[in-house]
């Protein structure tokens, strides 16, 4: 494909390669380093004497007889009961994704098929809601939630996350549904379907690529949330990210930073796997909003 | 679609947003106008064998009655907005009168929590956004010029800093930049100062937070620009080459104008997102050197004493700032809509 004219001079090629290698290291090295270090003891990973200790692990070997140890993971998962937070996270993520996709597909479909003026204003309102930092809403949640005694439970956090998720979901699904030709459901309606039947039998079978992409981003929002879950969940119902933050507060002083390191690595693994399998959808989702405008 | 059908399709999502976004906003605004009741104090005289003493105690019944009568608290109007923890108008005016130079005035401002947070938030927002756009652009141009097999790998690793949870990502970086971490060691070696520590230096802390910001958001710019580069018209590029444009001129006069709408898009989104900077401050435990508006809200809400009206007031001020940043986006959407209609 590259013609003679587009061939680059050697100097530029070297410069480009160096730049890309540096970026690749900047993007990937911190994760590799932390993964490697999570199997060491604290004095190796945070070594005062020599940074190479984190690679070779002399003190880990001294303590456990082997340069690798799962002590950080055992401490975090079993002693500090991080597994509870993991289960909570997946419960929250599962329900947030399911509910927000259900509400979002109905709403987004309606927005894409209605030509009335209020559609624009609804989308603008959603955009404004999307721009609000979620933490600004939290002080509005607390008094009523305490009053009704629903503070601290998973369903409360789920419903709040669903609502915070809605503006984004609506925008994304709206643009996906607009790409599905209107003629499809209109011809179904000509054949005697109601709007809902047209949606059910004609649109649902063809909407999955867009829904999966939106679902991935809903999942990320619920999984990555810290501000809302930290404020709305009680200690026993914590999800992973507030639990990691709690490790910092309580265990750092006891010299158990490695619990936090292990928890951080554990929280990264699902995301790593997700990017591996859904790279294409993530990229298309990120660009969907952008390239159109 | 008929209005009625639209209504039923849209009802569930509208309810969710009304109850959990619109109503809380109203509630936040209300809370910011009220203050909790002060406890009613009574003087009690205790007379014992050694004489009488005056004691002040809280009249629980009267306090409770007051709370029941007006559960919102006592109406304070805009009092909280202007107190020391927020806009601090009196303190600012005093600082303006008493400082001899502009530098001293800003030094005084830096002691007020709201302005301190504002200084960091704005510096962060307006340095991270242009830098991440530049970095994202160069990565996109770079990745676009390598072979197809390599691109997948590059995109995979480039996505990681963005996808990973902000708190987790900032912790991972923080542990490396920490004085006992690998990068911290390197910095100490380069600066030839074995005592150099991130935790002790405000400029160093700001720089690391900004580096985290660029690291975590550049992938977004990269992906958007990379997608844009796939749609560059090859004819224009070829005619530029025939006209003798150098590589830099091709980038400057063909690629950048083609990507301009995307650059604006990324800039607007990132300005809003960077303004809410919060997790990295927790992750880096940077409270002593850098705070942001979101962090103040979080700090007020956490702990034993939930300072609701202080948090609500900061929330309202944050929302107003976001609204200012949002205006160009709204204007743009309005124009798009007008253009389509």
């Amino acid at each position: 494909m590259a013609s003679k004219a587009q061939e680059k001079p050697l100097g530029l090629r070297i410069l480009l390669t160096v730049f890309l290698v540096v970026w690749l290291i900047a993007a990937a090295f911190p994760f590799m380093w932390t993964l490697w270090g999570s199997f060491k003891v604290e004095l190796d990973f945070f070594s005062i004497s020599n940074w190479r200790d984190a690679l070779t692990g002399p003190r880990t070997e001294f303590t456990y007889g082997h340069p690798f140890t799962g002590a950080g993971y055992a401490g975090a998962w079993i002693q500090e009961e991080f597994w509870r937070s993991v289960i909570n996270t997946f419960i929250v993520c599962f329900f947030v994704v399911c509910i927000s996709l259900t509400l979002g597909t109905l709403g987004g479909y309606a927005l894409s098929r209605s030509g009335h003026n209020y559609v624009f204003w609804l989308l603008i309102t959603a955009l404004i809601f999307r721009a609000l930092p979620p933490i600004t809403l939290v002080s509005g949640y607390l008094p009523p939630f305490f009053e009704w005694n629903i503070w601290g439970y998973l369903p409360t956090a789920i419903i709040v996350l669903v609502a915070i998720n809605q503006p984004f979901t609506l925008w994304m699904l709206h643009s996906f549904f607009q790409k599905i030709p209107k003629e499809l459901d209109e011809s179904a309606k000509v054949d005697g379907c109601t709007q809902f039947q047209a949606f059910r039998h004609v649109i649902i079978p063809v909407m999955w690529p867009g829904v999966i992409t939106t679902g991935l981003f809903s999942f990320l929002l619920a999984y990555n949330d810290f501000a809302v879950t930290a404020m709305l969940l009680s200690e026993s119902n914590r999800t992973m990210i507030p639990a990691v933050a709690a490790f910092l507060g309580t265990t750092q002083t006891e010299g158990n930073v490695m619990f936090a390191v292990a928890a951080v690595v554990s929280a990264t693994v699902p995301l790593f796997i997700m990017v591996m399998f859904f790279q294409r959808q993530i990229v298309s989702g990120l660009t969907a909003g952008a390239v159109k405008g | 679609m008929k209005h009625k059908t639209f209504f039923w399709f849209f009802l569930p999502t509208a309810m969710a947003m009304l109850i959990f976004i619109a109503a809380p906003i109203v509630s936040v605004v209300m809370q910011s106008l009220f203050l909790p009741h002060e406890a009613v104090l009574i003087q009690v005289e205790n007379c014992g064998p050694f004489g009488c003493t005056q004691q002040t105690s809280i009249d629980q019944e009267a306090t409770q009655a007051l709370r029941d009568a007006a559960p919102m608290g006592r109406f304070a109007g805009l009092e909280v907005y202007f107190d020391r923890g927020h806009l601090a108008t009196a303190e600012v005016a005093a600082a303006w009168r008493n400082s001899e130079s502009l530098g001293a005035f800003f030094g005084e401002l830096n002691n007020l929590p709201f302005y301190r947070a504002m200084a960091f938030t704005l510096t962060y927002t307006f340095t991270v956004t242009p830098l991440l756009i530049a970095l994202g652009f160069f990565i996109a141009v770079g990745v676009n010029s390598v072979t197809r097999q390599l691109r997948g790998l590059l995109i995979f690793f480039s996505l990681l800093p963005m996808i990973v949870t902000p708190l987790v990502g900032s912790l991972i970086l923080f542990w490396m930049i920490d004085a006992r971490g690998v990068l911290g060691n390197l910095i100490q070696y380069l600066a030839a100062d074995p005592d150099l520590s991130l935790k002790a230096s405000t400029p160093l802390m700001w720089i690391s937070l900004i580096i985290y910001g660029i690291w975590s958001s550049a992938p977004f710019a990269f992906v958007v620009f990379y997608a844009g580069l796939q749609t560059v018209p090859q004819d224009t590029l070829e005619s530029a080459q025939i006209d003798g444009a150098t590589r830099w001129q091709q980038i400057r006069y063909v690629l950048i104008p083609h990507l301009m709408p995307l650059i604006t898009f990324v800039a607007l989104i990132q300005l809003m997102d960077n303004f809410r900077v919060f997790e990295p401050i927790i992750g880096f435990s940077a409270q002593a050197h850098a705070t942001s508006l979101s962090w103040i809200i979080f700090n007020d809400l956490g702990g034993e004493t939930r300072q609701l009206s202080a948090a609500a007031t900061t929330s309202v001020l944050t929302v107003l700032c976001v609204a200012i940043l949002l205006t160009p986006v709204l204007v743009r959407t309005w124009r798009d809509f007008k253009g389509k209609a």
Side-chain angles (χ1 to χ4, degrees):
Chain A
M1 187 178 117
S3 67
K4 197 84 186 161
Q6 283 168 318
E7 227 168 68
K8 297 176 193 66
L10 187 66
L12 187 67
R13 268 215 304 259
I14 293 175
L15 192 75
L16 252 175
T17 318
V18 169
F19 173 70
L20 284 180
V21 168
V22 168
W23 165 247
L24 197 61
I25 292 174
F29 174 68
F31 297 101
M32 307 297 166
W33 179 262
T34 311
L35 175 67
W36 183 271
S38 67
F39 292 101
K40 305 275 182 254
V41 294
E42 188 186 344
L43 283 174
D44 279 334
F45 187 50
F46 296 102
S47 178
I48 304 165
S49 53
N50 191 343
W51 64 271
R52 281 184 212 88
D53 287 357
L55 289 176
T56 52
R59 283 181 199 81
T60 318
E61 195 157 9
F62 178 76
T63 320
Y64 295 98
H66 195 272
F68 293 97
T69 169
Y73 289 90
W77 280 72
I78 299 161
Q79 188 186 323
E80 300 287 330
E81 303 200 319
F82 190 64
W83 58 270
R84 257 183 228 283
S85 316
V86 176
I87 295 174
N88 287 335
T89 301
F90 284 99
I91 295 175
V92 168
C93 288
F94 176 78
F95 284 104
V96 167
V97 170
C98 290
I99 301 174
S100 59
L101 283 183
T102 313
L103 304 189
T105 23
L106 289 173
Y109 172 71
L111 286 175
S112 73
R113 289 299 184 260
S114 173
H116 299 293
N117 237 348
Y118 49 75
V119 168
F120 171 75
W121 295 110
L122 288 174
L123 282 172
I124 282 287
T125 317
L127 187 68
I128 296 171
F129 286 165
R130 148 90 173 83
L132 292 178
I135 184 95
T136 56
L137 298 175
V138 171
S139 64
Y141 295 136
L142 290 176
F145 285 4
F146 281 126
E147 182 83 2
W148 302 327
N149 218 359
I150 53 170
W151 181 87
Y153 301 107
L154 288 180
T156 318
I158 289 172
I159 201 98
V160 167
L161 285 175
V162 165
I164 291 179
N165 227 337
Q166 275 309 297
F168 172 77
T169 317
L170 275 181
W171 265 89
M172 200 137 170
L173 285 169
H174 165 75
S175 67
F176 274 113
F177 279 125
Q178 274 193 325
K179 284 193 210 125
I180 300 177
K182 278 195 173 80
E183 287 75 21
L184 268 182
D185 34 333
E186 266 161 26
S187 55
K189 283 205 297 195
V190 170
D191 290 346
C193 282
T194 63
Q195 187 82 45
F196 187 77
Q197 281 170 329
F199 174 70
R200 167 79 192 74
H201 298 288
V202 180
I203 297 300
I204 286 186
V206 296
M207 72 178 186
W208 291 110
V211 170
I212 288 173
T213 307
T214 316
L216 282 173
F217 283 89
S218 299
F219 172 84
L220 276 179
L221 185 134
Y223 191 92
N224 286 347
D225 176 83
F226 171 61
V228 172
T229 42
M231 282 294 156
L232 293 187
L233 287 174
S234 62
E235 207 166 306
S236 54
N237 286 332
R238 256 188 207 138
T239 51
M240 267 195 242
I241 305 304
V244 169
F247 276 135
L248 297 178
T250 55
T251 50
Q252 200 158 30
T253 43
E254 296 165 26
N256 283 334
V257 190
M258 294 322 286
F259 292 1
V261 178
V264 157
V265 173
S266 315
T268 317
V269 170
L271 295 174
F272 202 84
I273 297 170
M274 202 186 88
V275 180
M276 221 174 328
F277 283 100
F278 295 105
Q279 183 176 332
R280 184 177 295 272
Q281 282 82 355
I282 294 173
V283 170
S284 80
L286 284 175
T287 51
V291 180
K292 181 175 62 93
Chain B
M1 193 184 271
K2 287 199 204 79
H3 293 299
K4 202 178 146 203
T5 338
F6 181 86
F7 175 78
W8 287 113
F9 267 94
F10 201 72
L11 183 68
T13 175
M15 289 304 281
M17 286 195 288
L18 269 181
I19 300 174
F20 291 101
I21 302 182
I25 296 177
V26 177
S27 151
V28 166
V29 174
M30 292 299 284
Q31 280 177 46
S32 72
L33 300 177
F34 287 88
L35 273 173
H37 290 293
E38 276 157 32
V40 182
L41 301 179
I42 40 169
Q43 296 279 337
V44 190
E45 204 177 44
N46 264 340
C47 286
F50 305 107
C52 291
T53 50
Q54 285 280 339
Q55 261 192 346
T56 313
S57 67
I58 297 174
D59 186 346
Q60 299 289 358
E61 267 175 45
T63 311
Q64 194 56 44
L66 201 58
R67 284 196 184 138
D68 289 340
M72 284 294 293
R74 120 187 113 77
F75 184 74
L78 294 179
E79 189 186 308
V80 192
Y81 284 85
F82 295 120
D83 73 2
R84 194 181 181 284
H86 298 92
L87 290 176
T89 37
E91 283 83 354
V92 173
W96 182 251
R97 277 197 304 275
N98 302 336
S99 330
E100 269 128 42
S101 65
L102 215 55
F105 174 64
F106 283 116
E108 284 285 311
L109 273 195
N110 214 18
N111 291 331
L112 299 165
F114 180 79
Y115 293 99
R116 210 166 84 87
M118 209 57 182
F120 174 72
T121 314
L122 289 179
T123 317
Y124 180 87
T125 312
F126 286 99
T127 44
V128 167
T129 313
L131 288 175
L132 82 87
I133 288 176
L135 180 62
F137 179 76
F138 285 117
I139 302 170
V141 172
V143 170
N144 203 33
S145 68
V146 300
T147 52
R148 245 163 228 293
Q149 292 86 340
L150 270 176
R151 287 186 195 179
L153 186 81
L154 279 167
I155 294 176
F156 173 76
F157 282 108
S158 300
L159 281 178
L160 286 179
M162 176 190 60
I163 292 295
V164 83
T165 316
L167 184 74
V168 165
S170 54
L171 279 173
I172 286 178
L173 278 204
F174 173 65
W175 286 329
M176 290 175 72
I177 308 178
D178 187 52
R180 292 179 300 152
V182 58
L183 287 181
N185 264 314
L186 182 71
I187 295 169
Q188 286 171 353
Y189 173 76
L190 290 179
D193 176 5
D195 297 322
L196 194 65
S197 168
L198 182 64
K199 285 176 199 144
S201 151
T202 303
L204 217 57
M205 188 56 102
W206 282 38
I207 292 170
S208 358
L209 284 168
I210 287 169
I211 288 175
Y212 165 78
I214 299 168
W215 180 75
S216 63
S217 310
F220 172 67
F222 152 63
V223 168
V224 172
F225 295 155
Y226 177 74
L229 283 179
Q230 309 308 309
T231 63
V232 170
Q234 290 301 313
D235 300 351
T236 322
L237 212 55
E238 267 170 33
S239 36
Q241 282 165 359
I242 291 169
D243 289 348
T246 61
R247 259 161 227 293
W248 173 245
Q249 283 171 331
Q250 286 172 31
I251 289 184
R252 174 71 191 76
Y253 296 107
V254 181
L255 292 190
I256 292 187
H258 178 75
L259 291 182
M260 210 53 211
L262 296 184
I263 294 177
T264 344
F265 165 80
V266 173
L268 294 175
I269 294 278
Q270 286 298 324
L271 279 180
M272 285 188 303
D273 280 358
N274 288 330
F275 190 80
R276 46 170 100 162
V277 51
F278 164 55
E279 280 101 337
I281 295 177
I282 305 272
F284 280 64
S285 357
Q287 300 79 301
H289 303 290
T291 53
S292 72
L293 295 183
S294 303
W295 183 83
I296 293 184
I297 303 174
F298 185 81
N299 194 44
D300 279 345
L301 287 176
E304 290 301 302
T305 53
R306 295 181 188 271
Q307 291 167 298
L308 284 177
S309 52
T313 310
T314 316
S315 298
V316 174
L317 291 171
T318 313
V319 169
L320 290 179
C321 292
V322 170
I324 295 171
L325 287 174
L326 189 65
T327 340
V329 186
L330 291 182
V331 170
R332 213 170 95 97
T333 322
W334 171 246
R335 256 189 290 163
D336 279 2
F337 180 74
K338 279 282 148 190
K340 246 185 246 168

